[in-house]
Amino acid sequence: MKKTTALLMTILFLAQNPLFIYAAENALVRSVRVSAESVYITTDKPVKYKAFAMSQPPKLVVELEDARLRTLEEIPVNSVFIKKVRTGQFRTSPVSVSRVVLELTQKAVYDITQKGNELVVVLGGKFGPGKSGLKDAPAAAEPAAEGVKVITPSSQDNSPELSTISVKAANPNRENIPVIVPQARPLKTDRISRSIMDNLPTDPVNLDYSEANVRDIIGMLAAKAGINIIYSDDVTGTTSINLNKVPFDEAFRTILNVNGLAAQQVGDNILRIASPQTFMAEQKKAFLQTRVFFLNYSRAAEVKTQLTAVAAAEVGLGKYAVDEGNNALIVTDSALGLENTARLVKSLDRAPKQVLIEAKLVEVSLDNSLDYGIQWSGYGEKDGNYVGGGNIASNIGPASLPSPGRVLPGYSGALTGVPAPLSATGGGTGVNLPANLVYGAFRLGKVASNYMFDTVITAAAKKGKAKVLSNPKVATLNNKQATINITTQIPYTTTETTQTVPPVSTTKVVYLTTGIILNVTPTINSDGRISMKINPQVSQPSPASVVTPAAGGAPGIDTRSADTNVIVHDGETIVIGGLIHDTQAEAVYKVPILGDIPILGYLFKKKSMSRTRMELLIFVTPRIIEG
């Protein structure tokens, strides 16, 4: 009676709690792995499965009955036939169904083989001899008709509906049926330059593991990245991790770090996983070898500096020597160290990019000047009174005087010619203030019996505009300075005198450089833009009115310069302006007191005004030279 009662209570409890039955009966999908064109599905016990193919888009769906997933996965593959493999819990009641969906690049034949707790799905051909599970494949010979189960997806409940039909395999000798041929992949020619850790995928991944074996997690990630893994004996233990939409490379490095592991590349597509202590112990016992690396673009001495710094940071055994004549690097290190050095050398010894610097230099010169002046002289004599003087032979005073003085003492020439008034510089009366530049003059005067007056008004005005354009181009290597030099050499003499007895004097000709010097250092950034350090210098002789040349004729030099750093896009133009030279001068020459009289003062003064303005505009356009 007691046994019967206990049995009834157990049945009643399980009926009200079907989850216990579900947990007890369902198989657990432990892992889904991908290798080339094969997919391996591992469960904790054998399961029943169904498979069907879809054409739009091409897919292969494998359904596992009475099974549940430990975690949802999405594995990018990108092989000849498989694009991606993803898992999902299709249904949980009344029967739990898990799905593994293979997204295909094209319609392909497949074969599914069950080995104990593992299902193996092979795309593109038979998995082994004697299998008859190939679908959608042309037969070699015409076989007898047989029943084939076809799973048709239902549009209402999304559950497959089974039906049985009879089909006849096609004969490729009679019908033109396309046959899928795997495409050959191009071989990599520069294998040694690839660094696995630096080229890991960056696609976001989701990881949710609880007390999972660290080797299984690393193996799953390695399968996604398509790389091979070698585990050291000290790679053991379990880990729990929950990452959501984390870049693949960050997830891979995080798993290594939290488990105290490191990765070392031992081939173009092979990573060895071990603890750092294992790598350091092996490094100390390694056998040293020597190899010579011939460089094409970089200088061996510069590369040696970089390699020495890396070896010091990694506590490596590498020793380096430089052969300057052959631009070669001699390295002594372990076999693994030489492989790492080869990858570093390949990364450093690259053909440098070049930049074409196109410069336009526009110099605009404006100049205005105005000069005016006056010259006049007068002479008159009446009743013994006179103003001014005649010519240089004229007497001062009446001729009746016993010894009249001459305008110029000591003159004894003949008194010939008509007397004319002397100018102010000759000893007469008048003003001699002509314009500095004479482009026009107006002369007037009057001659009477006893006086003469003569005047000349001079003036000049100038207005000019000049434009100088030069368009030099120069190409330079990335991060190397380019110089554009548009200059003139101005000579002057110097004299050196020794302190010997007798002293010896030596005259030398020295040259001063004036003009435009433009220094540009371009640096190509990783985003394709160009950083430029620009340093223009403009120099010219100082005007003589501003700076008096030193003894020996050395002229003064005016210099204008700028120093700037800019970032521009390829082909974009930067303009440098403001290099302006502006000179204004105004001078007044006059007779004291008389020149200050309003209006009448213009008869006793002259004036000169000038202004010179020069502006330099520099346009710099960098262009990256491709190829």
Side-chain angles (χ1 to χ4, degrees):
M1 185 64 181
K2 293 182 179 180
K3 293 182 179 180
T4 305
T5 303
L7 180 60
L8 292 175
M9 292 180 64
T10 302
I11 295 173
L12 181 61
F13 176 76
L14 292 177
Q16 294 177 351
N17 297 275
L19 291 177
F20 286 93
I21 303 176
Y22 170 78
E25 294 180 354
N26 287 344
L28 177 65
V29 181
R30 293 189 177 276
S31 66
V32 177
R33 295 181 293 110
V34 181
S35 176
E37 307 303 331
S38 302
V39 178
Y40 301 86
I41 306 172
T42 305
T43 58
D44 61 350
K45 61 181 180 180
V47 296
K48 294 181 180 180
Y49 70 92
K50 299 176 184 178
F52 62 91
M54 302 177 65
S55 59
Q56 293 297 332
K59 294 180 183 178
L60 176 62
V61 181
V62 180
E63 288 193 346
L64 309 177
E65 296 182 359
D66 294 326
R68 59 185 178 88
L69 295 170
R70 183 170 64 178
T71 181
L72 300 180
E73 295 185 272
E74 186 170 322
I75 307 173
V77 181
N78 296 324
S79 63
V80 176
F81 294 110
I82 306 176
K83 280 191 200 175
K84 182 168 58 176
V85 176
R86 53 185 173 85
T87 62
Q89 194 68 43
F90 176 66
R91 190 166 55 214
T92 58
S93 64
V95 178
S96 177
V97 177
S98 299
R99 276 188 176 182
V100 178
V101 181
L102 287 68
E103 296 186 6
L104 308 179
T105 60
Q106 54 189 313
K107 188 176 181 181
V109 297
Y110 64 90
D111 181 45
I112 303 178
T113 303
Q114 187 168 19
K115 295 181 178 181
N117 297 343
E118 186 175 56
L119 288 175
V120 181
V121 183
V122 181
L123 274 295
K126 289 186 178 182
F127 183 75
K131 305 297 179 182
S132 60
L134 291 177
K135 284 95 177 161
D136 301 328
E142 183 171 347
E146 57 181 350
V148 180
K149 289 185 178 181
V150 178
I151 302 175
T152 306
S154 172
S155 61
Q156 286 142 7
D157 57 359
N158 293 329
S159 60
E161 179 183 355
L162 300 181
S163 61
T164 304
I165 62 173
S166 296
V167 297
K168 199 171 187 178
N171 186 350
N173 296 324
R174 295 201 309 254
E175 298 182 25
N176 186 17
I177 300 177
V179 179
I180 299 173
V181 179
Q183 300 176 355
R185 296 185 181 181
L187 296 177
K188 296 181 179 179
T189 56
D190 191 13
R191 300 178 65 87
I192 194 65
S193 63
R194 179 178 182 265
S195 174
I196 296 177
M197 295 300 291
D198 293 339
N199 291 276
L200 289 174
T202 57
D203 300 330
V205 294
N206 299 327
L207 301 178
D208 186 7
Y209 292 99
S210 177
E211 298 298 326
N213 190 299
V214 66
R215 291 195 179 197
D216 293 341
I217 299 176
I218 296 176
M220 182 272 296
L221 293 176
K224 286 186 177 183
I227 57 179
N228 301 300
I229 297 292
I230 299 175
Y231 299 104
S232 181
D233 294 337
D234 55 358
V235 181
T236 58
T238 61
T239 187
S240 298
I241 190 169
N242 185 0
L243 300 178
N244 185 29
K245 295 183 180 180
V246 177
F248 180 91
D249 54 344
E250 293 183 11
F252 190 83
R253 291 187 173 91
T254 300
I255 292 173
L256 294 179
N257 292 335
V258 298
N259 290 279
L261 300 175
Q264 188 177 65
Q265 186 168 343
V266 295
D268 183 59
N269 198 33
I270 302 174
L271 277 182
R272 183 168 176 238
I273 308 298
S275 65
Q277 294 78 8
T278 300
F279 288 133
M280 294 180 66
E282 293 176 353
Q283 186 76 0
K284 294 179 180 178
K285 299 177 183 179
F287 174 72
L288 298 182
Q289 303 176 30
T290 300
R291 183 176 171 184
V292 179
F293 297 90
F294 293 94
L295 306 182
N296 297 319
Y297 307 103
S298 302
R299 296 183 60 85
E302 297 176 356
V303 175
K304 176 190 173 184
T305 303
Q306 304 297 331
L307 295 179
T308 302
V310 172
E314 296 181 351
V315 196
L317 302 176
K319 296 181 180 180
Y320 311 96
V322 173
D323 181 4
E324 292 286 355
N326 295 311
N327 194 32
L329 196 63
I330 305 171
V331 182
T332 301
D333 204 342
S334 63
L336 187 58
L338 289 176
E339 289 186 12
N340 293 334
T341 300
R343 281 188 288 272
L344 284 174
V345 169
K346 281 288 185 179
S347 299
L348 296 174
D349 187 31
R350 295 182 177 181
K353 294 184 179 180
Q354 298 186 80
V355 180
L356 177 66
I357 304 296
E358 180 179 355
K360 289 185 179 180
L361 299 101
V362 181
E363 186 175 32
V364 180
S365 178
L366 303 175
D367 117 43
N368 294 300
S369 64
L370 174 63
D371 295 89
Y372 60 86
I374 188 169
Q375 292 174 282
W376 61 267
S377 62
Y379 164 72
E381 179 181 358
K382 184 177 182 182
D383 299 332
N385 299 317
Y386 65 91
V387 175
N391 57 21
I392 57 175
S394 299
N395 296 328
I396 296 177
S400 59
L401 292 176
S403 179
R406 301 280 185 181
V407 172
L408 297 181
Y411 178 78
S412 59
L415 298 176
T416 59
V418 177
L422 291 175
S423 66
T425 56
T429 297
V431 172
N432 186 33
L433 294 173
N436 292 340
L437 293 175
V438 178
Y439 295 147
F442 178 70
R443 184 165 188 163
L444 56 90
K446 184 177 181 180
V447 179
S449 59
N450 57 354
Y451 73 91
M452 178 182 292
F453 179 80
D454 181 44
T455 181
V456 179
I457 301 173
T458 58
K462 183 176 72 170
K463 184 175 183 180
K465 180 179 181 180
K467 182 178 181 180
V468 180
L469 174 65
S470 59
N471 187 20
K473 299 179 182 179
V474 62
T476 183
L477 295 178
N478 182 33
N479 210 26
K480 298 294 183 181
Q481 178 176 290
T483 299
I484 297 174
N485 193 325
I486 307 173
T487 57
T488 301
Q489 301 288 326
I490 300 177
Y492 67 94
T493 59
T494 60
T495 302
E496 296 180 0
T497 304
T498 63
Q499 295 181 353
T500 59
V501 180
V504 178
S505 297
T506 304
T507 302
K508 295 182 179 180
V509 178
V510 182
Y511 292 88
L512 283 177
T513 301
T514 61
I516 301 172
I517 299 176
L518 178 63
N519 296 318
V520 181
T521 304
T523 301
I524 303 175
N525 301 329
S526 58
D527 60 357
R529 295 193 294 178
I530 303 173
S531 300
M532 289 192 298
K533 178 179 175 62
I534 305 176
N535 176 223
Q537 295 182 3
V538 181
S539 59
Q540 61 186 15
S542 300
S545 60
V546 178
V547 178
T548 303
I557 301 296
D558 290 340
T559 302
R560 292 164 287 159
S561 64
D563 195 348
T564 184
N565 293 275
V566 296
I567 298 179
V568 297
H569 290 90
D570 183 18
E572 193 174 25
T573 300
I574 183 70
V575 182
I576 301 176
L579 300 175
I580 301 173
H581 178 79
D582 195 349
T583 303
Q584 298 186 46
E586 181 175 338
V588 177
Y589 306 87
K590 61 183 178 181
V591 176
I593 301 176
L594 298 178
D596 296 328
I597 299 175
I599 301 177
L600 293 178
Y602 286 100
L603 298 175
F604 300 94
K605 66 181 178 182
K606 74 172 182 177
K607 190 173 184 179
S608 176
M609 294 180 294
S610 65
R611 180 178 181 181
T612 303
R613 178 186 175 89
M614 289 186 296
E615 181 173 1
L616 178 65
L617 298 176
I618 300 176
F619 302 82
V620 180
T621 305
R623 289 185 173 87
I624 300 175
I625 301 177
E626 302 292 344

